Amino acid sequence: MPSFQTSPGTRDILPPDAARWREFNAIFADTVEAAGYGCIIPPIFEDAAVFHRIGEATDVVSKEMYDFQDKGGRHVSLRPEQTASVCRAYAQHRPTTPWKVWYTGPNFRYEKAQAGRYRQFDQVGIEALGVHDSALDVEVIALAWKFYQRLGLLNVQLFINSLGDDGDRERYVEALREYFLSHADALTPEARQTLDKNPLRVLDSKRQGDAEIIAGAPKITAFLSASASQHFEEVLEGLRVLDIPFTQNELLVRGLDYYRRTTFEFVSTALESAQNAVGGGGRYDGLVKDLGGPDTPGIGFALGLDRTLLACDAEGVFGAPKSSVDVFVVDVVDGTYALSVTSALHDAGYSADRAFDSRSMKAQMKSADRSGARFAIIIAQDEVASGSYTIRDMTSAQQQLVAKGDLVEFLTRNLGARTPRRHPS
Ligand code: AMP
């Protein structure tokens, strides 16, 4: 028989790590719902053309898409990110603005798999459509910042830049093209190839050989229109008001082509520099129009869940929660008591586990210990005869007899009241 393994770049997230993921998503939801963002769940695959709007010259589109023809002959792709899907959803449903949404879930990119870089990876993110106001840029960045803080991360740095409006960006790209062409001999062959397609992308090169030429390249600031420049100043001022530290980085252009005006990236200094970007985002004022919708401004961010958790590991914060149950039922009669007592406790709102296969008292007590339960409920012939249970406090090892009918009252007193698990009638 073949022994199957996960595909390269994909992973099983086992307990208790999966509980950590859920907690991550819950804290994210709580952070952004406090600011009026509602949850959106776009499909995992879409018409591939939706994602082509990210930019034909980006690696994400030209090399990394998981696209294929479905059985109906449609060219579809697993989503490589969710901003394009959210903008497509906006163009399709035309909700009233401002439209503020958040999402979580997997994305797919055919990348070279390595630590911190996967082919299936999760992102949480927000998108806000229909507002030009720089105060929204500040709100969006501040929410990401707050979230990192809630996780306990201390070593995250915010880098920020403005890419200007359409015209600014085009003039800058032309100036960059001229500059890099005049220094083409000194660039690496990879950078020369990128230059042919998109001069802006050359700024992304992390190769040592390109660093010196990039350092002397023209800066975007000189190309910003008065209004883009003022907008950017307002964003920076808002960040100062909220005491959010930032570093301006004129080389920050980010991997996707749709960004206009504000762009930003969060970097963990606790991670190796090759994979240290834990999130990023920016304005994409032309994207909804590109997807067939009305001309609508937008801004958002996506934070990499997998990589942010690696940063948490590196900083020793936000560990996986300890899994445990409230109660472990030890039944050495015949197992039927364990069946009904655990079921009744589940309905009463408690968590309860049990042993199977008629194990010995000793083996069941061992399982009770491993389960992390606060109490073991022990049922043997004596207990059946007296209509009560022996309850062992697993921390103090003290035992007492509690009448069957008083069990829930005992747990309420010792563990707190729980909401019963019942269908609302
Ligand atoms: P992007 O959508 O490319 O702007 O990426 C936003 C964030 O998603 C990055 O900062 C990373 O944290 C994360 N990310 C992007 N690609 C991957 C990947 N292949 N594996 C793991 N995380 C990723």
Side-chain angles (χ1 to χ4, degrees), residues 109 111 116-118 121 123 254 277-279 302 304 307:
R109 296 183 193 173
E111 299 202 69
R117 188 169 292 280
Y118 311 102
F121 62 96
Q123 287 181 336
R254 311 238 333 110
V278 286
R307 227 181 266 177

PDB file of all heavy atoms in Angstrom, residues 109 111 116-118 121 123 254 277-279 302 304 307, ligand 1:
ATOM      1  N   ARG A 109      -0.822  29.573  -3.757  1.00  0.00           N
ATOM      2  CA  ARG A 109       0.167  30.098  -4.717  1.00  0.00           C
ATOM      3  C   ARG A 109       1.203  29.010  -4.939  1.00  0.00           C
ATOM      4  O   ARG A 109       1.740  28.451  -3.973  1.00  0.00           O
ATOM      5  CB  ARG A 109       0.860  31.352  -4.162  1.00  0.00           C
ATOM      6  CG  ARG A 109      -0.092  32.514  -3.956  1.00  0.00           C
ATOM      7  CD  ARG A 109       0.636  33.768  -3.479  1.00  0.00           C
ATOM      8  NE  ARG A 109      -0.339  34.747  -2.997  1.00  0.00           N
ATOM      9  CZ  ARG A 109      -0.050  35.883  -2.401  1.00  0.00           C
ATOM     10  NH1 ARG A 109       1.227  36.211  -2.195  1.00  0.00           N
ATOM     11  NH2 ARG A 109      -0.977  36.705  -1.992  1.00  0.00           N
ATOM     12  N   GLU A 111       4.338  28.410  -5.089  1.00  0.00           N
ATOM     13  CA  GLU A 111       5.641  29.003  -4.774  1.00  0.00           C
ATOM     14  C   GLU A 111       6.623  27.904  -4.414  1.00  0.00           C
ATOM     15  O   GLU A 111       6.241  26.761  -4.204  1.00  0.00           O
ATOM     16  CB  GLU A 111       5.507  29.929  -3.570  1.00  0.00           C
ATOM     17  CG  GLU A 111       4.547  31.070  -3.803  1.00  0.00           C
ATOM     18  CD  GLU A 111       4.814  32.229  -2.875  1.00  0.00           C
ATOM     19  OE1 GLU A 111       5.862  32.880  -3.043  1.00  0.00           O
ATOM     20  OE2 GLU A 111       3.991  32.498  -1.996  1.00  0.00           O
ATOM     21  N   GLY A 116       7.912  29.044   6.356  1.00  0.00           N
ATOM     22  CA  GLY A 116       7.261  30.358   6.282  1.00  0.00           C
ATOM     23  C   GLY A 116       6.712  30.682   4.907  1.00  0.00           C
ATOM     24  O   GLY A 116       6.151  31.754   4.685  1.00  0.00           O
ATOM     25  N   ARG A 117       6.891  29.787   3.927  1.00  0.00           N
ATOM     26  CA  ARG A 117       6.337  30.016   2.582  1.00  0.00           C
ATOM     27  C   ARG A 117       5.693  28.716   2.127  1.00  0.00           C
ATOM     28  O   ARG A 117       6.373  27.710   1.945  1.00  0.00           O
ATOM     29  CB  ARG A 117       7.443  30.450   1.626  1.00  0.00           C
ATOM     30  CG  ARG A 117       6.932  30.898   0.267  1.00  0.00           C
ATOM     31  CD  ARG A 117       8.010  31.553  -0.556  1.00  0.00           C
ATOM     32  NE  ARG A 117       8.451  32.831  -0.015  1.00  0.00           N
ATOM     33  CZ  ARG A 117       7.797  33.981  -0.178  1.00  0.00           C
ATOM     34  NH1 ARG A 117       6.700  34.018  -0.880  1.00  0.00           N
ATOM     35  NH2 ARG A 117       8.252  35.081   0.358  1.00  0.00           N
ATOM     36  N   TYR A 118       4.385  28.746   1.984  1.00  0.00           N
ATOM     37  CA  TYR A 118       3.637  27.530   1.679  1.00  0.00           C
ATOM     38  C   TYR A 118       2.835  27.719   0.395  1.00  0.00           C
ATOM     39  O   TYR A 118       2.660  28.836  -0.084  1.00  0.00           O
ATOM     40  CB  TYR A 118       2.684  27.202   2.840  1.00  0.00           C
ATOM     41  CG  TYR A 118       3.380  27.232   4.169  1.00  0.00           C
ATOM     42  CD1 TYR A 118       3.249  28.324   5.026  1.00  0.00           C
ATOM     43  CD2 TYR A 118       4.216  26.191   4.550  1.00  0.00           C
ATOM     44  CE1 TYR A 118       3.920  28.369   6.240  1.00  0.00           C
ATOM     45  CE2 TYR A 118       4.889  26.223   5.765  1.00  0.00           C
ATOM     46  CZ  TYR A 118       4.734  27.326   6.603  1.00  0.00           C
ATOM     47  OH  TYR A 118       5.405  27.364   7.782  1.00  0.00           O
ATOM     48  N   PHE A 121      -1.716  28.732   2.194  1.00  0.00           N
ATOM     49  CA  PHE A 121      -1.450  29.500   3.412  1.00  0.00           C
ATOM     50  C   PHE A 121      -2.686  30.320   3.740  1.00  0.00           C
ATOM     51  O   PHE A 121      -3.476  30.647   2.859  1.00  0.00           O
ATOM     52  CB  PHE A 121      -0.229  30.415   3.224  1.00  0.00           C
ATOM     53  CG  PHE A 121      -0.421  31.432   2.131  1.00  0.00           C
ATOM     54  CD1 PHE A 121      -0.845  32.714   2.423  1.00  0.00           C
ATOM     55  CD2 PHE A 121      -0.205  31.086   0.808  1.00  0.00           C
ATOM     56  CE1 PHE A 121      -1.045  33.652   1.407  1.00  0.00           C
ATOM     57  CE2 PHE A 121      -0.414  32.016  -0.216  1.00  0.00           C
ATOM     58  CZ  PHE A 121      -0.829  33.287   0.084  1.00  0.00           C
ATOM     59  N   GLN A 123      -4.748  33.632   5.363  1.00  0.00           N
ATOM     60  CA  GLN A 123      -4.640  35.059   5.661  1.00  0.00           C
ATOM     61  C   GLN A 123      -5.905  35.513   6.382  1.00  0.00           C
ATOM     62  O   GLN A 123      -6.999  35.000   6.110  1.00  0.00           O
ATOM     63  CB  GLN A 123      -4.529  35.881   4.374  1.00  0.00           C
ATOM     64  CG  GLN A 123      -3.194  35.781   3.662  1.00  0.00           C
ATOM     65  CD  GLN A 123      -3.151  36.633   2.404  1.00  0.00           C
ATOM     66  OE1 GLN A 123      -4.186  36.952   1.821  1.00  0.00           O
ATOM     67  NE2 GLN A 123      -1.949  37.008   1.994  1.00  0.00           N
ATOM     68  N   ARG A 254       5.540  46.580  -2.826  1.00  0.00           N
ATOM     69  CA  ARG A 254       4.699  45.418  -2.594  1.00  0.00           C
ATOM     70  C   ARG A 254       4.487  44.588  -3.856  1.00  0.00           C
ATOM     71  O   ARG A 254       4.689  45.050  -4.958  1.00  0.00           O
ATOM     72  CB  ARG A 254       3.359  45.796  -1.976  1.00  0.00           C
ATOM     73  CG  ARG A 254       3.535  46.722  -0.780  1.00  0.00           C
ATOM     74  CD  ARG A 254       2.973  46.234   0.496  1.00  0.00           C
ATOM     75  NE  ARG A 254       1.870  45.344   0.378  1.00  0.00           N
ATOM     76  CZ  ARG A 254       1.941  44.045   0.669  1.00  0.00           C
ATOM     77  NH1 ARG A 254       3.056  43.538   1.116  1.00  0.00           N
ATOM     78  NH2 ARG A 254       0.894  43.285   0.546  1.00  0.00           N
ATOM     79  N   ALA A 277       8.038  39.171   6.321  1.00  0.00           N
ATOM     80  CA  ALA A 277       6.846  40.014   6.146  1.00  0.00           C
ATOM     81  C   ALA A 277       5.654  39.266   6.724  1.00  0.00           C
ATOM     82  O   ALA A 277       5.329  38.166   6.289  1.00  0.00           O
ATOM     83  CB  ALA A 277       6.622  40.314   4.674  1.00  0.00           C
ATOM     84  N   VAL A 278       5.046  39.823   7.755  1.00  0.00           N
ATOM     85  CA  VAL A 278       3.914  39.131   8.367  1.00  0.00           C
ATOM     86  C   VAL A 278       2.572  39.696   7.884  1.00  0.00           C
ATOM     87  O   VAL A 278       1.521  39.135   8.174  1.00  0.00           O
ATOM     88  CB  VAL A 278       3.981  39.153   9.912  1.00  0.00           C
ATOM     89  CG1 VAL A 278       5.060  38.189  10.410  1.00  0.00           C
ATOM     90  CG2 VAL A 278       4.227  40.548  10.450  1.00  0.00           C
ATOM     91  N   GLY A 279       2.609  40.793   7.137  1.00  0.00           N
ATOM     92  CA  GLY A 279       1.353  41.326   6.611  1.00  0.00           C
ATOM     93  C   GLY A 279       1.609  42.574   5.800  1.00  0.00           C
ATOM     94  O   GLY A 279       2.703  43.147   5.851  1.00  0.00           O
ATOM     95  N   ALA A 302      -3.851  42.311   4.310  1.00  0.00           N
ATOM     96  CA  ALA A 302      -3.920  40.872   4.566  1.00  0.00           C
ATOM     97  C   ALA A 302      -2.734  40.514   5.443  1.00  0.00           C
ATOM     98  O   ALA A 302      -1.606  40.951   5.190  1.00  0.00           O
ATOM     99  CB  ALA A 302      -3.865  40.099   3.259  1.00  0.00           C
ATOM    100  N   GLY A 304      -0.574  37.363   7.073  1.00  0.00           N
ATOM    101  CA  GLY A 304      -0.342  35.933   6.916  1.00  0.00           C
ATOM    102  C   GLY A 304      -0.457  35.226   8.265  1.00  0.00           C
ATOM    103  O   GLY A 304       0.296  35.524   9.186  1.00  0.00           O
ATOM    104  N   ARG A 307       2.619  32.730   9.019  1.00  0.00           N
ATOM    105  CA  ARG A 307       3.873  33.419   9.323  1.00  0.00           C
ATOM    106  C   ARG A 307       3.775  34.234  10.612  1.00  0.00           C
ATOM    107  O   ARG A 307       4.740  34.357  11.356  1.00  0.00           O
ATOM    108  CB  ARG A 307       4.220  34.330   8.159  1.00  0.00           C
ATOM    109  CG  ARG A 307       5.660  34.158   7.774  1.00  0.00           C
ATOM    110  CD  ARG A 307       6.016  35.046   6.668  1.00  0.00           C
ATOM    111  NE  ARG A 307       5.890  34.420   5.375  1.00  0.00           N
ATOM    112  CZ  ARG A 307       6.114  35.081   4.256  1.00  0.00           C
ATOM    113  NH1 ARG A 307       6.423  36.366   4.299  1.00  0.00           N
ATOM    114  NH2 ARG A 307       6.015  34.473   3.102  1.00  0.00           N
TER     115      ARG A 307
HETATM  116  P1  AMP B   1       0.419  39.425  -0.019  1.00  0.00           P
HETATM  117  O1  AMP B   1      -0.981  38.919  -0.263  1.00  0.00           O
HETATM  118  O2  AMP B   1       1.423  38.874  -0.991  1.00  0.00           O
HETATM  119  O3  AMP B   1       0.465  40.910   0.146  1.00  0.00           O
HETATM  120  O4  AMP B   1       0.885  38.807   1.384  1.00  0.00           O
HETATM  121  C1  AMP B   1       0.384  39.233   2.630  1.00  0.00           C
HETATM  122  C2  AMP B   1       0.967  38.350   3.709  1.00  0.00           C
HETATM  123  O5  AMP B   1       0.556  36.997   3.489  1.00  0.00           O
HETATM  124  C3  AMP B   1       2.484  38.275   3.706  1.00  0.00           C
HETATM  125  O6  AMP B   1       3.021  39.323   4.468  1.00  0.00           O
HETATM  126  C4  AMP B   1       2.744  36.934   4.349  1.00  0.00           C
HETATM  127  O7  AMP B   1       2.670  37.036   5.749  1.00  0.00           O
HETATM  128  C5  AMP B   1       1.576  36.110   3.877  1.00  0.00           C
HETATM  129  N1  AMP B   1       1.961  35.251   2.732  1.00  0.00           N
HETATM  130  C6  AMP B   1       1.986  35.565   1.420  1.00  0.00           C
HETATM  131  N2  AMP B   1       2.376  34.506   0.682  1.00  0.00           N
HETATM  132  C7  AMP B   1       2.596  33.486   1.549  1.00  0.00           C
HETATM  133  C8  AMP B   1       3.010  32.130   1.416  1.00  0.00           C
HETATM  134  N3  AMP B   1       3.258  31.576   0.222  1.00  0.00           N
HETATM  135  N4  AMP B   1       3.145  31.377   2.540  1.00  0.00           N
HETATM  136  C9  AMP B   1       2.887  31.909   3.768  1.00  0.00           C
HETATM  137  N5  AMP B   1       2.481  33.178   3.950  1.00  0.00           N
HETATM  138  C10 AMP B   1       2.341  33.966   2.874  1.00  0.00           C
END
